[in-house]
């Protein structure tokens, strides 16, 4: 949606000049000749910025500015006047005016101020939004010793600018740990910028990281900052770093070592102050041995490693995680929902191959399906109850449980097959349903030998 600007001036000629010049820049422009008209426009429209004359027929621009600050404290305002005095300028700035321009002015001057003001406002709002998404340790459920060890590591490293490598299976909450590090650090006032290295094609990943200069390649129609520049003064989270193409790894290493980057198509060196937190579900030392990941980059990233254990290794966290998710989902629906003890026991008996992400999806669905304010065992999907302990067919003691890895593999195989059947073998849609990336799905298809008929009681072949 185009930003809407309100131009307030009792001279129709000046209003018209500003309207035409600003509309040529792509803005939607409203006009008002008095403070009263301006207030009516502000009440009726979603205005993103105000440009007002200081001298208006019914009220001064300062009074209009005061009214705007009362009702829309975040709205940028530029004051324009032919009576530029130090006193009025100082008062306007103290009241929160973005800037102050004296007539006669060049239209280009107003255009530049508008661009700066809207850019500053957008960056401020984004920063506020991202700060809300950068939680502290209190947002991480840690009922058991394993996750308390993780939180202790976060506390120890947050205050420094040390590079951190977070490892763990898909869905364990690696990004949540990264956001906690940022939120507890002196950089919390800066941006937390996340980039998934597995989700972007290799030829585009360099541009996303380092930025682009106009004309660097076909389609580069303007200069664009990369994630390093956006994260300057804050934290850059490089998720799935193990999937970064080998050709790009030396450039990343140089940026980490020198604190400097070059946009694509430019030789100009830009200094950046960025804290790096990387994450991966892959075995990076193994990738180094295989020659698929640079050893020097691994050592540069692995300064302070934090491993997030899978959910099956911390079953004491399952109940509080489920309760937290149920409360969050129910609150969004205007309800109060709890999970019955037998449902909790069933959740604790399941190995959760998809980890916390899978648990959250299951609980959210169960809350939606629950007929009242209690989630019961039958509200859970079949996959989370299929491993319940059962007596042997002969009535004797229960059969010994399978090895944990075998149970996890069997659960993963069944979940993947079910998703592929449901989507008609659409890998992208199946990955979305499973809560994993397409790349991860292909990896699991290969590891679990799902490219050939399986011994699952079905003759379906997945290709």
């Amino acid at each position: 949606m185009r930003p809407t600007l309100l131009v307030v001036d009792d001279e129709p000629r000046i209003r018209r000049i500003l309207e035409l010049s600003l509309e040529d820049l792509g803005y939607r422009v409203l006009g008002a000749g008095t403070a009263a008209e301006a207030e009516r426009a502000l009440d009726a429209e979603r205005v993103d910025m105000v440009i007002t004359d200081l001298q208006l027929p019914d009220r001064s621009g300062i009074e209009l500015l005061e009214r705007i600050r009362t009702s829309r404290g975040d709205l940028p305002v530029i004051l324009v006047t032919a009576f530029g005095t130090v006193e009025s300028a100082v008062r306007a700035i103290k009241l929160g005016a973005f800037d102050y321009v004296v007539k006669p002015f060049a239209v280009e001057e107003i255009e530049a101020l508008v661009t700066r003001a809207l850019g500053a406002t957008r960056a401020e709002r984004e920063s506020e939004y991202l700060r809300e998404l950068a939680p502290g340790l209190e947002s991480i459920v840690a009922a058991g010793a394993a996750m308390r060890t993780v939180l202790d590591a976060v506390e120890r490293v947050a205050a420094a600018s040390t590079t951190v490598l977070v490892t763990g299976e898909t869905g364990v909450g690696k990004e949540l740990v990264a956001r906690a590090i940022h939120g507890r650090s002196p950089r919390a006032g800066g941006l937390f910028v996340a980039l998934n290295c597995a989700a972007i094609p290799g030829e585009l990943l360099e541009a996303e990281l380092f930025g682009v200069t106009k004309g660097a390649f076909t389609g580069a129609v303007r200069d664009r900052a990369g994630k390093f520049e956006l994260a300057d003064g804050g934290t850059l989270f490089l998720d799935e770093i193990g999937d970064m193409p080998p050709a790009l790894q030396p450039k990343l290493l140089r940026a980490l070592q020198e604190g400097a980057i070059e946009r694509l198509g430019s030789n100009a060196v830009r200094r950046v102050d960025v804290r790096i937190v990387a994450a991966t579900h892959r075995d990076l030392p193994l990738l180094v041995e295989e020659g698929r990941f640079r050893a020097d980059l691994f050592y540069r990233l692995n300064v302070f490693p934090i491993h997030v254990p899978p959910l099956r290794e911390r079953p004491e966290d399952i109940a509080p995680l489920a309760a937290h998710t149920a409360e969050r989902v129910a609150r969004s629906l205007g309800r109060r929902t709890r999970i019955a003890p037998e449902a909790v026991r069933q959740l604790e008996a399941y190995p959760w191959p998809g980890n916390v992400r899978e648990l959250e999806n299951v609980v959210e669905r169960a809350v939606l399906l629950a007929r009242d304010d209690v989630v019961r065992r039958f509200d859970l999907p079949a996959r989370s109850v299929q491993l319940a302990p059962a007596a042997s067919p002969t009535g004797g003691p229960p059969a010994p449980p399978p090895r944990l890895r075998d149970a996890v593999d069997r659960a993963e195989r069944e979940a993947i097959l079910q998703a592929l059947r449901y989507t008609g073998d659409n890998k992208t849609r199946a990955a979305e349903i499973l809560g994993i990336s397409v790349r991860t799905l292909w990896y699991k298809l290969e590891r679990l030998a799902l490219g050939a008929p399986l011994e699952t009681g079905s003759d379906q072949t997945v290709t």
Side-chain angles (χ1 to χ4, degrees):
M1 181 181 294
R2 294 186 301 164
T4 298
L5 312 183
L6 175 61
V7 177
V8 189
D9 199 301
D10 60 335
E11 296 185 40
R13 183 180 63 85
I14 293 180
R15 280 206 315 272
R16 187 58 180 159
I17 290 172
L18 289 176
E19 287 174 6
L20 291 173
S21 64
L22 294 171
E23 284 175 350
D24 285 343
L25 293 179
Y27 300 117
R28 175 174 174 254
V29 183
L30 307 175
T34 66
E37 290 179 9
E39 290 180 358
R40 286 195 292 272
L42 287 167
D43 290 336
E45 299 275 355
R46 187 190 181 283
V47 175
D48 297 290
M49 183 175 179
V50 175
I51 304 168
T52 179
D53 191 17
L54 188 62
Q55 298 295 326
L56 298 172
D58 56 343
R59 213 173 313 163
S60 73
I62 292 288
E63 290 176 294
L64 178 59
L65 174 61
E66 289 176 332
R67 190 269 186 187
I68 291 172
R69 283 290 158 264
T70 301
S71 59
R72 289 279 306 278
D74 61 339
L75 191 65
V77 178
I78 294 175
L79 284 170
V80 183
T81 183
F83 306 91
T85 65
V86 174
E87 291 80 5
S88 59
V90 170
R91 187 179 178 194
I93 297 301
K94 284 184 175 180
L95 286 171
F98 181 80
D99 214 328
Y100 185 94
V101 179
V102 179
K103 295 179 182 177
F105 57 81
V107 172
E108 292 78 10
E109 183 180 7
I110 296 290
E111 292 175 349
L113 279 176
V114 168
T115 301
R116 279 176 41 213
L118 290 176
T121 303
R122 188 180 305 113
E124 182 179 344
R125 288 173 179 168
E126 182 183 17
S127 180
E128 290 175 357
Y129 170 71
L130 289 173
R131 280 197 294 272
E132 291 176 359
L133 294 180
L137 302 186
E138 64 278 359
S139 66
I140 300 178
V141 173
M147 281 306 293
R148 285 199 295 272
T149 299
V150 171
L151 297 193
D152 180 66
V154 170
E155 282 277 26
R156 291 173 179 273
V157 77
S161 290
T162 305
T163 301
V164 179
L165 179 62
V166 186
T167 58
E169 296 180 6
T170 299
V172 294
K174 296 188 291 294
E175 182 169 349
L176 192 63
V177 170
R179 289 186 182 277
I181 293 171
H182 173 75
R184 302 284 287 189
S185 76
R187 297 171 175 267
L191 293 181
F192 177 92
V193 179
L195 179 67
N196 189 321
C197 299
I200 301 173
E203 60 273 14
L204 298 180
L205 186 56
E206 183 175 0
E208 286 294 320
L209 277 171
F210 304 120
V212 177
T213 301
K214 180 180 178 181
F217 52 78
T218 303
V221 296
R222 59 182 177 85
D223 291 351
R224 180 165 60 85
K227 295 297 190 289
F228 265 97
E229 289 179 73
L230 292 177
D232 193 14
T235 301
L236 176 58
F237 175 56
L238 298 176
D239 197 10
E240 300 300 352
I241 190 70
D243 292 286
M244 175 170 284
L248 189 53
Q249 293 175 22
K251 298 179 181 180
L252 175 61
L253 177 63
R254 178 172 178 264
L256 297 183
Q257 290 176 334
E258 301 179 9
I261 58 143
E262 295 177 9
R263 289 183 179 179
L264 282 178
S266 171
N267 293 323
V269 176
R270 299 170 185 267
R271 309 297 303 184
V272 289
D273 175 22
V274 176
R275 200 257 184 87
I276 298 294
V277 179
T280 183
H281 72 283
R282 295 187 177 277
D283 185 344
L284 286 189
L286 178 60
L287 294 183
V288 170
E289 288 182 16
E290 295 174 347
R292 292 191 287 162
F293 200 86
R294 290 180 63 101
D296 46 5
L297 178 57
F298 169 67
Y299 297 134
R300 185 65 182 78
L301 294 171
N302 197 40
V303 178
F304 193 95
I306 296 178
H307 179 70
V308 185
L311 192 54
R312 64 181 174 275
E313 293 180 8
R314 45 188 176 105
E316 62 276 7
D317 289 337
I318 292 175
L321 276 168
H324 175 76
T325 302
E327 180 184 355
R328 172 178 55 80
V329 175
R331 186 168 58 246
S332 70
L333 299 172
R335 293 162 46 188
R336 295 174 62 86
T337 301
R338 64 181 180 86
I339 305 178
E342 74 272 10
V344 172
R345 288 193 295 271
Q346 198 58 53
L347 293 174
E348 291 175 334
Y350 182 65
W352 300 109
N355 291 295
V356 177
R357 187 179 301 151
E358 183 185 9
L359 173 64
E360 290 176 338
N361 291 342
V362 165
V363 172
E364 179 174 357
R365 177 185 173 188
V367 171
L368 294 173
L369 291 176
R371 293 178 176 83
D372 49 31
D373 290 338
V374 179
V375 172
R376 296 178 173 83
R377 187 174 186 272
F378 56 75
D379 293 317
L380 301 174
R383 67 175 180 273
S384 63
V385 300
Q386 63 184 1
L387 296 180
S392 68
T394 60
R403 290 193 314 127
L404 186 58
R405 181 68 260 176
D406 294 339
V408 172
D409 286 348
R410 188 158 57 246
E412 281 193 325
R413 287 158 64 101
E414 181 56 35
I416 291 172
L417 281 173
Q418 185 176 348
L420 290 171
R421 294 187 187 108
Y422 180 78
T423 62
D425 203 26
N426 184 319
K427 305 291 192 301
T428 300
R429 179 67 184 131
E432 292 175 355
I433 292 173
L434 293 167
I436 60 177
S437 68
V438 177
R439 187 187 294 267
T440 300
L441 176 58
W442 279 109
Y443 167 76
K444 290 183 180 295
L445 288 172
E446 180 179 353
R447 186 177 68 81
L448 298 172
L450 290 178
L454 302 176
E455 297 177 6
T456 59
S458 168
D459 60 357
Q460 176 170 344
T461 301
V462 181
T463 59

